[in-house]
């Protein structure tokens, strides 16, 4: 019970803080709209003036809904990206603000604080995804398949991996004190390996092998199966299980790294050091 | 007397590595706290006095469980802080130095309620306690304003309020009046005395000797990670009663001339502070001789064609105790 109270208190505090920066919602409206557009327009350009080349891409991707295909990939990437910037840098931000020690002085399992911090990222990810779906449905007339229950399942299955990766980052950054380089490398790797705008089998074998260690590779595939290819949860169960399974491994790894970094900073006294 | 905090042979060493290409990594050891032992009794205000970097904050952080000691044991109300950190933290309210320990984008009330939740208070309980603390600290009128609009003194009060949320029997206050204007500092000292009257045990670190003298039942003087004296403030001052303190304000002289005072017989310590505003040297001289040396010192200064603006022979303060023990000023 105490842990739940802490998790919700942290989330409430973060949401209240976010709402006091009045421009935050602009990115929620603009970003989902413009980010996939870059890839969509590039694909149109490569397809030629009569877009004949798109048929090749449609054959490779396994769907005629190329815009939807790209939107799903970029939406998942944005969710991971938000998590890494917000959640991955959470402890570092508290450290720079000077409030990390105040939190650490409290008689709670510090892991609850980290869990609570993830709620804001989750809320933002859901908002970005919903806004993206609404904007593409209304502006470009893209049809999404599946029902709300299936969409929620796909979203939930992605979360252990997203959370786990965020925890790994949050912990390592607390120790390494540098956010930007680490996040840029990780999101770059994910952008390439997980196939956010193309199917992974067009990559060399060794890259495909590496891609299979990332839960998002399977999460993106499952999301495409449900949201644009009209498949059922059962039909994409292989992707769902692998996404969830690998995500849980990320989560356990995140907890382990957090505990070990927590002990390390208590020895080195670097909790408040910039 | 019952012990609230027991500190037994506590050491904290930090290690820094210096790496150079093709060279062996050099490891440097820094002894922040070096074999400190003392007890703090229930219901007392215990002052920890020392210059910046003496080890005060490191010691407080070890008591709160933020830092692991390299060696030694720390017990808070009989609970081992290293082995049962969370259990020990339930008994401690802490204010760490500075006003950055609270959220500036939240209101005073939101800050207190947030930390109340982290200290395990139920929602209703946290609301009631926050209300009570805001009232007590004189923040009720501005309780729903964002903290970033507050003055430093008010922010410090919110930080203090945060430490009061758990109603813990032990309070650790690290430089609570640092950066406050004189009136706010006086108000805060009054509040600290109220906590004592309520029976709370308070560990207060400060480098303001008057503050330690005014508030503390007992004072420990820490320097370079070691406790060099521990007693009631009056006893500490009495311990150097044979040493007289003379304070001079001199104009039109140089550091070299003042250094020459050290050569005079029976002069123990000479400390100089240049007052830029008044363009004068404020010189503190400790000497063992009562009267005759005063003339000798004045003769020396006047011979150097300097102008003496003020001369005072004073009772020793805690700063004099510190100077007597270390040969340096708290401000150094």
């Amino acid at each position: 019970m105490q842990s739940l109270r802490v998790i919700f208190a942290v989330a409430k505090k973060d949401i209240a803080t976010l709402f006091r920066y009045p421009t935050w919602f602009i990115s929620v409206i603009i970003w989902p709209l413009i980010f996939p557009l870059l890839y969509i327009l590039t694909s149109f350009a490569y397809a030629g003036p009569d877009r004949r080349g798109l048929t090749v891409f449609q054959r490779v991707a396994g769907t005629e809904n190329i815009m939807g295909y790209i939107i799903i990939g970029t939406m998942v990437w944005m969710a991971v990206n938000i998590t890494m910037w917000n959640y991955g840098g959470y402890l570092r931000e508290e450290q720079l603000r000077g409030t990390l020690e105040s939190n650490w002085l409290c008689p709670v399992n510090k892991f609850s604080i980290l869990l609570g911090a993830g709620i804001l990222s989750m809320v933002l990810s859901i908002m970005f995804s919903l806004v993206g779906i609404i904007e593409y449905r209304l502006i470009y007339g893209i049809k999404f398949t599946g029902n709300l229950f299936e969409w929620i399942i796909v979203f939930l299955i992605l979360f252990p991996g997203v959370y786990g990766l965020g925890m790994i980052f949050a912990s390592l950054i607390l120790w390494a004190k540098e956010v930007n380089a680490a996040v840029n490398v990780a999101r770059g790797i994910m952008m390439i390996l997980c196939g956010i705008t193309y199917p992974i089998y067009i990559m060399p074998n060794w890259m495909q092998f590496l891609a299979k260690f990332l839960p998002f590779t399977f999460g993106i595939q499952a999301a495409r199966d449900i949201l644009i290819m009209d498949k059922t949860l059962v039909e994409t169960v292989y992707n769902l299980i692998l996404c969830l399974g690998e995500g849980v491994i990320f989560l356990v790894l995140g907890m382990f790294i957090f505990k070990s970094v927590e002990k390390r900073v208590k020895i080195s006294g670097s909790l408040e050091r910039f | 007397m019952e012990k609230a905090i027991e500190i037994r042979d506590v050491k904290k060493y930090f290690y820094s590595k210096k790496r150079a290409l093709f060279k062996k990594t050099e490891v440097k050891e820094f002894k922040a706290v070096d074999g400190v032992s003392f007890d703090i009794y229930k219901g007392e205000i215990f002052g920890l006095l020392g210059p910046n970097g003496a080890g005060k904050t490191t010691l407080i952080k070890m008591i709160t469980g933020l830092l692991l000691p390299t060696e030694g044991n720390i017990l808070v109300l009989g609970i081992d802080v290293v082995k049962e950190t969370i259990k020990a933290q339930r008994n401690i309210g802490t204010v760490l130095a500075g006003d950055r320990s609270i959220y500036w984008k939240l209101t005073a009330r939101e800050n207190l309620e947030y930390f109340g939740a982290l200290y395990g208070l139920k929602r209703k309980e946290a609301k009631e306690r926050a209300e009570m603390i805001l009232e007590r600290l004189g923040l009720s009128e501005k309780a729903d304003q964002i903290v970033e609009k507050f003055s430093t003194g008010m922010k410090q009060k919110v930080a203090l309020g945060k430490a009061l949320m758990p109603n813990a029997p032990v309070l650790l206050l690290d430089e609570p009046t640092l950066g406050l204007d004189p009136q706010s500092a006086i108000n805060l000292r009054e509040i600290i005395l109220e906590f004592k009257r309520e029976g709370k045990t308070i560990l207060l670190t400060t480098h303001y000797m008057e503050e330690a003298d005014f508030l503390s039942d007992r004072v420990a003087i820490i320097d370079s990670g070691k406790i060099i004296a521990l007693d009631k403030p009056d006893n500490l001052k009495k311990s150097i009663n044979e040493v007289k303190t003379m304070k001079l304000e001199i104009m039109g002289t140089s550091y070299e001339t003042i250094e020459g005072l050290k050569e005079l017989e029976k002069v123990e310590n000479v400390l100089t502070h240049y007052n830029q505003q008044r363009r004068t040297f404020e010189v503190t001289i400790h000497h063992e001789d009562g009267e005759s040396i005063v003339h000798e010192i004045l003769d020396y200064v006047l011979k150097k064609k300097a102008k003496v603006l003020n001369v005072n022979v004073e009772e020793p303060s805690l700063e004099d105790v510190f100077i007597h023990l270390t040969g340096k000023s708290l401000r150094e």
Side-chain angles (χ1 to χ4, degrees):
Chain A
M1 266 316 274
Q2 165 65 0
S3 289
L4 272 180
R5 172 107 170 91
V6 172
I7 290 169
F8 286 113
V10 173
K12 189 180 163 193
K13 179 256 298 172
D14 290 340
I15 291 167
T17 307
L18 177 77
F19 273 69
R20 288 192 182 143
Y21 291 97
T23 53
W24 68 275
F25 68 92
I26 295 174
S27 66
V28 174
I29 295 167
I30 302 288
W31 192 232
L33 190 67
I34 59 167
F35 181 62
L37 212 54
L38 175 79
Y39 298 100
I40 292 166
L41 293 176
T42 307
S43 70
F44 287 172
Y46 287 147
D50 56 358
R51 296 187 182 173
R52 213 177 337 161
L54 274 186
T55 51
V56 181
F57 191 83
Q58 283 164 352
R59 234 183 1 257
V60 175
T63 176
E64 288 180 3
N65 189 353
I66 292 302
M67 280 170 81
Y69 186 92
I70 291 172
I71 286 164
I72 300 298
T74 50
M75 257 173 16
V76 175
W77 187 82
M78 273 194 289
V80 177
N81 199 27
I82 292 164
T83 306
M84 285 203 291
W85 279 116
N86 287 353
Y87 187 40
Y90 181 82
L91 297 177
R92 178 72 178 143
E93 204 186 313
E94 290 275 340
Q95 192 176 48
L96 289 168
R97 198 189 283 140
T99 43
L100 187 64
E101 282 190 331
S102 295
N103 284 281
W104 247 242
L105 288 167
C106 297
V108 287
N109 185 343
K110 310 308 177 269
F111 194 65
S112 308
I113 297 174
L114 193 61
L115 282 176
I119 291 185
L120 177 65
S121 299
M122 195 198 283
V123 170
L124 282 175
S125 299
I126 292 170
M127 284 174 79
F128 268 81
S129 304
L130 277 178
V131 169
I133 287 173
I134 292 166
E135 285 176 344
Y136 276 85
R137 179 81 187 88
L138 294 179
I139 298 169
Y140 299 101
I142 293 171
K143 284 181 184 156
F144 292 98
T145 59
N147 57 43
L148 189 65
F149 170 73
E150 288 170 331
W151 292 7
I152 291 169
I153 292 290
V154 171
F155 210 84
L156 289 178
I157 274 166
L158 270 162
F159 257 91
V162 177
Y163 250 67
L165 190 67
M167 270 174 202
I168 294 168
F169 267 84
S171 311
L172 291 177
I173 289 163
L174 189 62
W175 169 56
K177 322 274 185 206
E178 161 54 44
V179 187
N180 297 6
V183 170
N184 279 326
V185 168
R187 67 184 191 158
I189 289 172
M190 195 208 131
M191 204 169 179
I192 293 166
L193 291 182
C194 296
I196 65 165
T197 54
Y198 46 77
I200 63 161
Y201 71 82
I202 63 151
M203 296 190 293
N205 284 342
W206 66 270
M207 283 172 83
Q208 286 185 47
F209 177 75
L210 289 179
K212 285 174 182 162
F213 289 100
L214 293 169
F216 315 113
T217 306
F218 302 103
I220 289 171
Q221 190 50 51
R224 282 177 178 143
D225 285 348
I226 301 290
L227 271 87
I228 56 166
M229 293 183 186
D230 205 15
K231 286 186 183 173
T232 63
L233 289 173
V234 177
E235 284 171 304
T236 193
V237 72
Y238 167 81
N239 290 313
L240 292 173
I241 287 172
L242 279 173
C243 177
L244 185 65
E246 287 190 355
V248 170
I249 293 170
F250 270 46
L251 206 58
V252 173
L253 200 63
M255 285 164 72
F256 175 76
I257 292 174
F258 175 77
K259 286 283 168 200
S260 118
V261 170
E262 192 194 358
K263 191 173 177 191
R264 198 185 163 104
V265 293
K266 271 173 131 185
I267 292 169
S268 65
S270 60
L271 196 62
E272 95 289 12
R273 255 184 255 151
F274 297 169
Chain B
M1 287 177 101
E2 267 189 276
K3 292 168 188 167
I5 300 175
E6 296 163 68
I7 293 173
R8 295 280 169 272
D9 199 24
V10 168
K11 294 175 184 170
K12 182 67 195 175
Y13 298 168
F14 292 112
Y15 299 93
S16 59
K17 287 178 186 170
K18 197 179 167 188
R19 288 192 180 92
L21 206 60
F22 306 120
K23 280 187 183 169
K24 208 177 161 185
T25 305
E26 202 182 316
V27 180
K28 277 192 176 173
E29 185 184 72
F30 171 67
K31 294 177 178 177
V33 174
D34 193 14
V36 164
S37 295
F38 61 87
D39 295 325
I40 301 175
Y41 302 115
K42 280 187 182 172
E44 77 170 334
I45 299 183
F46 186 93
L48 195 57
L49 183 66
N52 289 331
K56 303 186 297 286
T57 303
T58 304
L59 198 54
I60 280 221
K61 285 185 179 175
M62 285 192 283
I63 298 170
T64 58
L66 279 183
L67 268 179
L68 286 175
T70 309
E71 269 181 48
N73 297 307
I74 301 171
L75 305 181
V76 174
L77 299 175
I79 303 159
D80 190 316
V81 173
V82 175
K83 288 180 189 156
E84 296 178 278
T85 311
I86 290 179
K87 201 173 165 191
Q89 283 177 332
R90 285 196 190 110
N91 293 299
I92 308 171
T94 311
V95 178
L96 289 179
D99 49 11
R100 290 172 67 242
S101 60
I102 46 168
Y103 292 93
W104 289 21
K105 278 283 173 193
L106 297 184
T107 66
R109 191 189 305 280
E110 284 168 341
N111 263 291
L112 298 192
E113 288 180 8
Y114 169 69
F115 284 106
L118 264 61
Y119 272 104
L121 302 185
K122 294 196 172 97
R123 199 180 301 273
K124 196 178 162 216
E125 208 180 343
K127 275 184 187 297
E128 285 169 1
R129 188 138 180 87
E131 187 66 52
M132 192 267 280
I133 290 168
L134 288 164
E135 176 80 39
R136 183 170 181 183
L137 297 176
L139 290 170
S140 289
E141 275 183 29
K142 301 207 168 173
D144 297 308
Q145 274 189 23
I146 290 174
V147 167
E148 71 180 351
K149 292 176 181 163
F150 285 13
S151 66
T152 309
M154 284 165 73
K155 282 175 188 150
Q156 194 71 351
K157 278 187 181 176
V158 179
L160 184 64
K162 168 191 78 101
L164 295 177
M165 280 304 283
N167 199 15
V170 175
L171 280 177
L172 307 181
L173 310 178
D174 188 18
E175 306 272 7
T177 56
L178 188 73
L180 295 191
D181 60 81
Q183 191 53 51
S184 303
I186 290 167
N187 291 345
L188 207 56
R189 283 174 199 147
E190 283 302 321
I191 292 168
I192 292 169
L193 285 174
E194 272 179 40
F195 298 150
K196 178 188 157 58
R197 285 194 282 275
E198 286 169 15
K200 293 200 188 300
T201 305
I202 300 163
L203 169 59
L204 170 88
T205 76
T206 179
H207 65 276
Y208 300 132
M209 56 193 168
E210 304 89 352
E211 185 168 275
D213 199 350
F214 175 70
L215 291 173
S216 312
D217 296 304
R218 288 189 304 145
V219 168
I221 297 179
I222 186 167
D223 186 43
S224 304
K226 287 180 190 285
I227 300 287
I228 54 173
L230 194 167
D231 211 328
K232 291 179 179 171
D234 284 345
N235 292 348
L236 285 173
K237 287 182 279 185
K238 273 181 206 158
S239 71
I240 60 158
N241 245 355
E242 73 279 8
V243 176
K244 307 289 175 196
T245 304
M246 185 177 168
K247 293 195 173 168
L248 297 159
E249 191 180 10
I250 311 171
M251 190 180 248
T253 188
S254 64
Y255 277 105
E256 288 74 25
T257 304
I258 292 163
E259 281 294 297
L261 284 166
K262 288 182 181 168
E263 306 303 322
L264 298 179
E265 210 181 328
K266 293 187 179 172
V267 166
E268 258 198 24
N269 292 300
V270 178
L271 285 152
T272 317
H273 172 67
Y274 184 69
N275 186 328
Q276 281 196 323
Q277 264 187 333
R278 289 172 60 85
R279 297 185 176 186
T280 57
F281 285 89
E282 294 163 357
V283 185
T284 305
I285 301 168
H286 285 172
H287 57 90
E288 291 170 359
D289 184 70
E291 312 302 325
S292 65
I293 199 166
V294 175
H295 298 289
E296 219 175 305
I297 289 168
L298 288 174
D299 278 349
Y300 172 84
V301 176
L302 294 170
K303 262 184 207 163
K304 299 283 178 188
K305 292 183 180 157
K307 194 175 171 187
V308 178
L309 300 181
N310 272 310
V311 182
N312 284 311
V313 177
E314 294 177 353
E315 287 298 308
S317 66
L318 283 180
E319 171 134 37
D320 295 314
V321 176
F322 185 80
I323 293 166
H324 180 67
L325 292 168
T326 65
K328 60 188 181 188
S329 159
L330 270 168
R331 282 176 290 201
E332 280 175 33

